[in-house]
């Protein structure tokens, strides 16, 4: 049992990666659409590229979305409008009319005229209440059918034009009076009916919508059937509208039949295989080409988390409305990976993510082509992400690539630009703008995952930072030495294509451990007194080598990132404090070399190897007397060759060719630093 536990402990890193791999796979598969995939690709107006297709089973031909929409519009236009009748209103109105008629007309009228006018008034009222008077104005088509309900029972049918609207009262009065030749009394009648006429119809919205819904439910979503074995389309035949609808119907029926309970587990298993295969390729890439990333569980978790996050966000958008799928800024992914790792890893992870998204998005080939091309452009164009202008330029290029590629695809599909959807260009622009969110996202990731990007390195390179100010106050000579080394390291890194910003920052902080005992280092000794004169060689060597451990402790107290602390650990590797070692050797025969050696480890990256070379050359260059170009060349060659012989660069992925390039830079820089000046006359 104890052996088993020990074995688990030894392999806990691999076990964690396995669990992370499984969890990510299952989560991604869970997000996938719950349907099978039709095995044929087809487009309207394009030749059928597959074999002759016969109907594999009986299926109904579904109506197109346009046909369904037209039927719904027709039903809506012809649906009955229901109005509720208040049958007490007409009786009340006629009663009031009888009472107020005499007050509306003068008593001087002849009785026959008065009787005639009274009958005309009754005719007007009959016209008003033949169907009814509306309580308010409604924006319905005049030809819409209506039904009048009296106590929920249909009393009368007609059309909306039959109903009297509030603004039609005056015109009806004038029409009847003109017909009777009594237009001189229109003011009297208008005044009378203004007070008397009341609406008796109210629109019943709920009853109308219920009837409309009942008609909608009667819509048949299929038109005709295709029998099993019927020829659907032959190879090379152009897909016309009818065939396209039949193929869409077959696709829908096929996917619904495939995703049945009996086949659910098999299809789920197939999805799991494909997703796990893609994620396995990502893990194998890390294992083979980015071993330092693979060994760091936090970094592996970070990579898998971002892949899953992009798939999750895209799934949400597609489920909401697939037309917004290009708004998701997928190009943030390679930007983030490039900021924290490198371009090659960023592009590989981006391609894997886009391949997985092909299962989710519509028009998957077009989508994958656009996103992969955009990702490649992102990787090729964005350098020095900490410079804001570079990010804006890259966003402009990404947006342009989206627009150009979509434009080309549309012409291929449609043959012209007459029906192009210009709205898509808005989504591409929004996607580009959303890519700018990468800056705050990088900052958040740095805090959450403890990673370091070039943006943070730029902040750390500020010589006004608290720690570097403390170094300049306590150990001014060391601070000046660090600035010189930083300039040399940056130039050397640029020469061989290494991370110049990382090399510079590492150089600025590599000697902060000297703040603990600054006067024990010669660059900080401003007087002729040397404290090493009172110490033994071993004690002096212990203080000198101790600045590495002291530097690591100071860096951790000040929350410097591990990438910077690595420079403090490795800038002397396992080299020997040669001066005190030889001094001890002169005094004693039996000397243990480890007492005079730095604790290591040796440099394990190009940047840390560059720092070791630049640090040694800059420090030793102070001892040059009467420097000449020949002396400087021999001096640089001698120091770096000794480091190579000592095996200091065995763990760093740096080539001899790159070391030669660094030597060349150092010789050139030192020659400029120690150039001779003419002697000015007094």
């Amino acid at each position: 049992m104890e052996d088993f536990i020990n074995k688990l402990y030894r392999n806990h890193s691999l076990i964690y990666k396995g669990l992370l791999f499984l969890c990510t796979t299952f989560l991604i598969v869970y997000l996938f659409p719950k349907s099978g995939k039709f095995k044929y690709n087809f487009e309207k107006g394009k030749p059928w590229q597959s074999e002759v297709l016969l109907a594999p089973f009986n299926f109904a031909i579904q109506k197109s979305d346009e046909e369904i929409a037209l039927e719904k519009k027709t039903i809506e236009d012809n649906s009955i409008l229901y109005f509720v009748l208040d049958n007490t209103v007409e009786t009340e109105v006629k009663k009031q009319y009888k009472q107020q008629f005499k007050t509306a007309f003068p008593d001087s009228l002849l009785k026959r005229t008065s009787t005639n006018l009274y009958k005309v008034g009754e005719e007007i009222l009959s016209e008003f209440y033949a169907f009814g008077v509306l309580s308010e104005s409604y924006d319905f088509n005049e030809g819409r059918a209506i039904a009048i309900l009296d106590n929920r029972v249909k009393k009368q049918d007609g059309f909306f034009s039959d109903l009297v609207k509030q603004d039609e009262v005056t015109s009806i009065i004038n029409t009847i009076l003109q017909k009777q030749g009594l237009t001189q009394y229109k003011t009297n009648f208008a005044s009378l009916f203004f007070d008397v006429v009341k609406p008796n119809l109210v629109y019943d919205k709920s009853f109308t919508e219920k009837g409309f819904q009942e008609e909608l439910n009667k819509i048949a979503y299929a038109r005709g059937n295709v029998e099993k074995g019927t020829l659907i389309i032959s190879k090379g035949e152009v897909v016309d509208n009818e065939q396209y609808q039949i193929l869409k119907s077959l696709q829908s029926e096929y996917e619904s039949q495939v995703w049945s309970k009996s086949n659910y587990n098999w299809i789920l298993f197939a999805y799991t295989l494909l997703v796990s295969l893609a994620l396995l390729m990502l893990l194998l890439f890390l294992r083979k080409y980015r071993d330092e990333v693979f060994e760091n569980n936090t970094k592996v978790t970070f990579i898998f988390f971002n892949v899953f996050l992009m798939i999750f966000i895209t799934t949400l958008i597609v489920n909401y409305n697939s037309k917004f799928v290009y708004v998701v800024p997928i190009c943030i992914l390679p930007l983030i990976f490039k900021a924290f790792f490198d371009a090659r890893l960023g592009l590989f992870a981006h391609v894997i993510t886009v391949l997985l998204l092909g299962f989710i998005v519509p028009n998957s080939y077009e989508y994958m082509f656009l996103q992969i091309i955009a990702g490649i452009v992102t990787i090729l164009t964005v350098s020095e992400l900490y410079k804001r202008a570079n990010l804006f330029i890259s966003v402009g290029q990404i947006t342009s690539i989206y627009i150009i590629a979509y434009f080309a695809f549309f012409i291929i599909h449609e043959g012209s630009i007459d029906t192009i959807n210009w709205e898509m260009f808005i989504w591409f622009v929004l996607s580009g703008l959303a890519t700018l969110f990468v800056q705050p996202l990088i900052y958040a990731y740095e805090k959450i995952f403890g990673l370091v990007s070039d943006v943070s390195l730029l902040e750390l390179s500020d010589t006004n930072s608290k720690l570097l100010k403390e170094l300049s106050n306590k150990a001014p000579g060391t601070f000046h030495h660090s600035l010189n080394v930083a300039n040399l390291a940056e130039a050397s890194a640029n020469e061989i294509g290494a991370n110049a910003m990382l090399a510079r920052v590492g150089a600025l902080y590599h000697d902060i451990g000297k703040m603990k005992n600054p006067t024990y280092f010669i660059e900080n000794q401003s007087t002729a007194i040397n404290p090493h004169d009172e110490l033994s060689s071993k004690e002096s060597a212990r203080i000198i080598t101790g600045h590495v451990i002291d530097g690591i402790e100071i860096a951790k107290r000040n929350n410097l990132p591990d990438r910077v602390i690595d420079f403090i650990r490795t800038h002397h590797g396992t080299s020997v404090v040669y001066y005190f070692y030889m001094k001890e050797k002169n005094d004693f025969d039996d000397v243990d070399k480890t007492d005079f050696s730095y604790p290591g480890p040796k440099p394990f990256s190009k940047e840390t190897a560059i720092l070791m070379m630049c640090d040694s050359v800059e420090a030793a260059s102070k001892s040059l007397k009467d420097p000449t170009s020949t002396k400087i060349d021999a001096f640089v060659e001698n120091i770096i060759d000794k480091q190579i012989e000592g095996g200091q660069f065995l763990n760093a992925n740096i080539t001899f060719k790159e070391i030669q390039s660094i030597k060349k830079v150092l010789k050139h820089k030192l020659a400029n630093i120690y150039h001779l000046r003419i002697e000015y006359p007094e």
Side-chain angles (χ1 to χ4, degrees), residues 24 48 131 245 447 557 623 665:
T24 309
W48 177 257
F131 283 88
Q245 198 55 43
K447 300 304 178 185
R557 282 202 304 270
S623 63
V665 170

Side-chain angles (χ1 to χ4, degrees), residues 130-225:
F131 283 88
V133 180
L134 290 172
S135 59
E136 56 183 285
S137 298
Y138 297 99
D139 188 21
F140 294 123
N141 190 296
E142 293 292 323
R144 287 284 293 273
I146 64 163
I148 297 174
L149 303 177
D150 187 1
N151 291 324
R152 311 304 286 181
V153 177
K154 187 189 290 188
K155 179 183 178 182
Q156 197 172 8
D157 291 322
F159 297 97
F160 187 67
S161 58
D162 296 328
L163 304 182
V164 178
K165 293 81 177 174
Q166 296 284 345
D167 56 355
E168 293 178 348
V169 171
T170 304
S171 63
I172 291 172
I173 294 171
N174 293 339
T175 301
I176 294 176
L177 291 178
Q178 191 171 7
K179 190 176 178 182
Q180 298 289 339
L182 299 171
T183 53
Q184 67 271 28
Y185 297 106
K186 65 181 180 181
T187 304
N188 303 77
F189 276 109
S191 175
L192 171 61
F193 288 127
F194 181 81
D195 294 328
V196 170
V197 174
K198 294 179 182 178
N200 65 337
L201 292 179
V202 177
Y203 174 56
D204 193 332
K205 184 178 180 182
S206 63
F207 208 84
T208 301
E209 289 182 351
K210 184 180 178 182
F212 173 59
Q213 195 60 47
E214 286 176 357
E215 292 299 317
L216 285 182
N217 293 337
K218 295 177 184 177
I219 291 178
Y221 287 86
R223 50 174 177 81
N225 292 286

Side-chain angles (χ1 to χ4, degrees), residues 417-446:
I417 61 169
D418 296 337
T419 58
I420 193 167
N421 183 10
W422 298 104
E423 186 184 22
M424 286 298 298
F425 297 144
I426 298 174
W427 309 142
F428 293 140
V429 172
L430 289 177
S431 177
L433 294 174
T435 306
L436 295 173
F437 186 68
V438 71
Q439 286 283 18
L441 195 60
I442 286 174
Y443 177 78
Y445 280 151
E446 286 178 336

Side-chain angles (χ1 to χ4, degrees), residues 228-497:
K228 181 178 179 181
T230 304
L231 175 65
I232 296 176
I233 192 167
S234 302
K235 186 172 183 179
E237 190 177 349
V238 175
V239 180
D240 61 23
N241 287 338
E242 182 63 21
Q243 288 169 326
Y244 180 78
Q245 198 55 43
I246 293 173
L247 287 169
K248 290 294 287 182
S249 302
L250 175 60
Q251 179 181 7
S252 176
E253 188 68 23
Y254 174 84
E255 291 178 352
S256 64
Q257 286 192 21
V258 167
W259 201 262
S260 61
K261 288 185 178 179
S262 59
N263 295 333
Y264 182 91
N265 292 332
W266 277 111
I267 295 176
L268 204 61
F269 174 70
Y271 271 142
T272 305
L273 277 181
L274 291 174
V275 174
S276 59
L277 190 63
L279 294 179
L280 182 62
M281 293 303 103
L282 183 54
L283 274 179
L284 290 177
F285 174 85
L286 295 176
R287 180 69 184 85
K288 186 170 179 63
Y289 298 107
R290 299 293 181 272
D291 194 52
E292 73 282 0
V293 176
F294 182 80
E295 294 300 328
N296 189 318
N297 283 341
T298 301
K299 292 180 179 178
V300 176
T301 304
F302 173 74
I303 293 169
F304 275 62
F305 171 77
N306 277 279
V307 171
F308 171 74
L309 182 63
M310 283 299 159
I311 295 173
F312 176 71
I313 294 172
T314 305
T315 304
L316 290 180
I317 295 297
V318 169
N319 290 339
Y320 174 70
N321 193 330
S322 61
K323 76 175 185 178
F324 300 127
V325 67
Y326 285 105
V327 177
V328 181
I330 300 296
C331 288
I332 277 184
L333 198 64
L335 279 175
I336 288 173
F337 287 157
K338 187 177 180 181
F340 289 112
F341 306 112
D342 60 84
R344 191 175 175 187
L345 172 56
L347 182 58
F348 193 89
H350 176 71
V351 171
I352 291 292
T353 306
V354 172
L355 288 175
L356 290 173
L357 286 172
F359 290 107
I360 298 170
V361 299
N363 300 321
S364 56
Y365 177 77
E366 177 185 324
Y367 177 86
M368 289 190 292
F369 184 90
L370 261 67
Q371 296 294 6
I372 289 174
I373 291 295
I376 292 171
V377 169
T378 303
I379 291 295
L380 293 178
T381 57
V382 177
S383 58
E384 299 176 326
L385 189 61
Y386 55 85
K387 294 182 179 178
R388 289 171 294 180
N390 289 356
L391 182 59
F392 279 97
I393 292 169
S394 179
V395 165
Q397 291 170 332
I398 292 168
T399 306
S400 300
I401 288 296
Y402 275 137
I403 292 173
I404 293 169
Y406 172 77
F407 184 77
F409 264 107
F410 188 87
I411 293 176
I412 290 171
H413 291 161
E414 302 296 331
S416 70
I417 61 169
D418 296 337
T419 58
I420 193 167
N421 183 10
W422 298 104
E423 186 184 22
M424 286 298 298
F425 297 144
I426 298 174
W427 309 142
F428 293 140
V429 172
L430 289 177
S431 177
L433 294 174
T435 306
L436 295 173
F437 186 68
V438 71
Q439 286 283 18
L441 195 60
I442 286 174
Y443 177 78
Y445 280 151
E446 286 178 336
K447 300 304 178 185
I448 295 170
F449 290 93
L451 300 173
V452 182
S453 69
D454 285 352
V455 180
S456 290
L457 292 176
L458 180 65
E459 295 174 358
L460 290 170
S461 67
D462 183 8
T463 53
N464 287 317
S465 66
K466 181 183 176 183
L467 191 55
L468 290 180
K469 271 194 170 184
E470 187 180 355
L471 177 65
S472 67
N473 291 330
K474 290 185 177 179
T478 299
F479 178 71
H480 184 261
H481 158 72
S482 297
L483 286 176
N484 290 337
V485 173
N487 292 331
L488 294 175
E490 185 176 17
S492 301
N494 279 324
E495 183 69 20
I496 67 170

